[in-house]
Amino acid sequence: MDVKKLIDDSNQYLMDTYKRFPVVLVKGRGMKLWGADGKEYLDFLAGVAVNILGHCHPRLVVAIQKQAQKLVHVSNWYHSEPQIKLAKLLCDYSFADKVFFSNSGAEANEAAIKLARKHSKERFGAEKTGIITALNSFHGRTMATLTATGQPKFHAGFEPLLPGFSYVPFNDYEALKSAIDENTCAIMLEPIQGEGGVKIPSDDYFKHVRELCTRLGILLILDEIQTGTGRTGTLFAYEQYGIEPDILTLAKGLGGGVPIGATLAREEVAKAFTPGCHGSTFGGNPLAAAAALATIETLLEDGIMLSECRRMGEYLMNSLGKLHKQFPKIIISIRGKGLLIGMELTRDCSMVVQACFERGVLINCTAGNTLRFMPPLIVTEEDIDRLISVLKEVMERLS
Ligand SMILES: *Cc1c(COP(=O)(O)O)cnc(C)c1O
């Protein structure tokens, strides 16, 4: 493989929407990835919180192979078993009664927004369309989800945005309360702001938001595209807040790496979707659904992966805490739940990400100055020790 030629072709033929690292990845196994040049990487990014079972987990590989031999795609004009089983599994383990499948996070949120508006218009009248989201949030890149995303830097150049959206500071109940008017149909929030820098709300924030929504007939949409499917140590992050949403969206980890999105809702809300009013050609096709089924079944089996996620999350938090003590001038704070952990630095963190990459560790920088760790849920103490020793070396050079 001519790596240089490939990267040149990548730059020539792919639109310039990503700043890619100069490596062509060719193989993965568990926590590890290999470049075409044979260099080994330890993966604390997991394809942006996607590969929850790690790379090439045997159960996922076998499920995909078996399904590919039987049936890959049939459209949603017919029933197919993996999709039905997956929908039942998600409903059995959540607040939801019904599921709509799509192919990505943005599409899952797009469906949530459409469902919320249709439900609220039918129930309360044509004006009830307002959607409140949080500043610093991230909900996707389609026009509706981009509008829902409360960060001007993502909006720039794509205006006009959709009407009917407004924004409030995250974790500020009073601000949310005063932003509501008689036309508010839904409040859409992430349980933890992921792209926004791993921002965790105070313990009672979501309890109060839930009460307010119930009292005023406003739908609570939780975007669990990043926090869902085990990432925070429970199947869904909302379980840890002691509340239930009306609509919930999933994607990222759901298919273990195969693209799939899901919008979950209570029966009373879900029934606003009737034949023909929403759809997706690929949504929940047999291949993607079989992959997701294998992923979630593996995740839930004996509860081992979830308890390991919590244990390893604590181990990583403690290890990062020790680094914090050693480098108080570089590190401001460490925040996280399960294996979604952010470490805020006093400076731009892209240099740290680059230095880790050069040393064979993949991490990510979000919100400018926050390192984000979201490894596969199979991560071990040994992997974490390796990450910490690389971070330590990089920080020593910085200070
Ligand atoms: C990644 C993400 C999305 C968008 O998902 P895509 O699959 O990239 O469309 C939406 N919301 C949250 C919270 C995310 O982390």
Side-chain angles (χ1 to χ4, degrees), residues 104-106 109 138-140 190 195 223 225-226 251-252:
S104 66
N109 281 340
F138 185 83
H139 297 296
E190 298 157 88
E195 303 301 311
D223 176 347
I225 288 162
Q226 189 157 148
K252 292 207 164 86

Side-chain angles (χ1 to χ4, degrees), residues 11-261:
N11 293 332
Q12 182 172 348
Y13 295 110
L14 291 166
M15 288 199 197
D16 214 6
T17 49
Y18 308 100
K19 206 171 151 289
R20 291 185 168 91
F21 288 90
V23 62
V24 178
L25 294 171
V26 292
K27 201 175 91 174
R29 198 60 98 238
M31 276 291 293
K32 287 179 180 157
L33 283 164
W34 286 272
D37 58 359
K39 187 170 165 184
E40 189 177 293
Y41 297 88
L42 196 59
D43 188 5
F44 275 83
L45 177 71
V48 197
V50 167
N51 305 88
I52 55 175
L53 305 182
H55 297 281
C56 294
H57 189 286
R59 284 200 44 189
L60 180 59
V61 172
V62 168
I64 293 170
Q65 283 172 336
K66 275 192 167 165
Q67 189 57 47
Q69 282 171 343
K70 277 194 271 185
L71 193 62
V72 170
H73 179 82
V74 288
S75 87
N76 280 304
W77 296 7
Y78 309 97
H79 297 282
S80 68
E81 194 183 15
Q83 185 184 99
I84 299 162
K85 282 189 164 167
L86 178 62
K88 180 171 187 310
L89 184 71
L90 290 174
C91 290
D92 284 350
Y93 281 89
S94 76
F95 73 100
D97 303 305
K98 292 232 150 96
V99 185
F100 175 85
F101 287 115
S102 52
N103 314 286
S104 66
E107 282 174 275
N109 281 340
E110 192 84 21
I113 292 165
K114 287 179 72 176
L115 180 62
R117 281 195 167 162
K118 192 148 187 297
H119 164 84
S120 298
K121 281 178 171 224
E122 284 168 7
R123 190 154 166 221
F124 300 105
E127 303 301 311
K128 185 105 165 161
T129 58
I131 293 173
I132 301 175
T133 71
L135 290 167
N136 198 43
S137 60
F138 185 83
H139 297 296
R141 308 286 199 148
T142 62
M143 283 311 298
T145 60
L146 178 69
T147 307
T149 295
Q151 300 193 57
K153 71 173 183 199
F154 289 109
H155 297 166
F158 299 111
E159 301 87 349
L161 302 177
L162 252 66
F165 285 80
S166 56
Y167 314 95
V168 294
F170 187 56
N171 194 27
D172 183 339
Y173 175 70
E174 291 305 323
L176 180 65
K177 212 164 105 183
S178 37
I180 289 171
D181 63 27
E182 70 278 10
N183 294 333
T184 303
C185 107
I187 293 167
M188 181 170 181
L189 296 166
E190 298 157 88
I192 296 171
Q193 289 191 327
E195 303 301 311
V198 194
K199 299 277 168 60
I200 299 174
S202 42
D203 286 344
D204 54 0
Y205 176 66
F206 273 99
K207 274 223 170 85
H208 290 147
V209 174
R210 176 68 269 179
E211 278 164 22
L212 187 69
C213 287
T214 306
R215 185 149 49 83
L216 300 177
I218 294 169
L219 297 174
L220 177 59
I221 305 173
L222 284 187
D223 176 347
E224 291 230 27
I225 288 162
Q226 189 157 148
T227 56
T229 57
R231 171 72 33 206
T232 67
T234 46
L235 184 56
F236 307 108
Y238 75 76
E239 299 168 41
Q240 297 177 49
Y241 295 142
I243 58 138
E244 287 183 350
D246 300 295
I247 302 176
L248 177 127
T249 54
L250 299 172
K252 292 207 164 86
L254 180 58
V258 177
I260 183 165

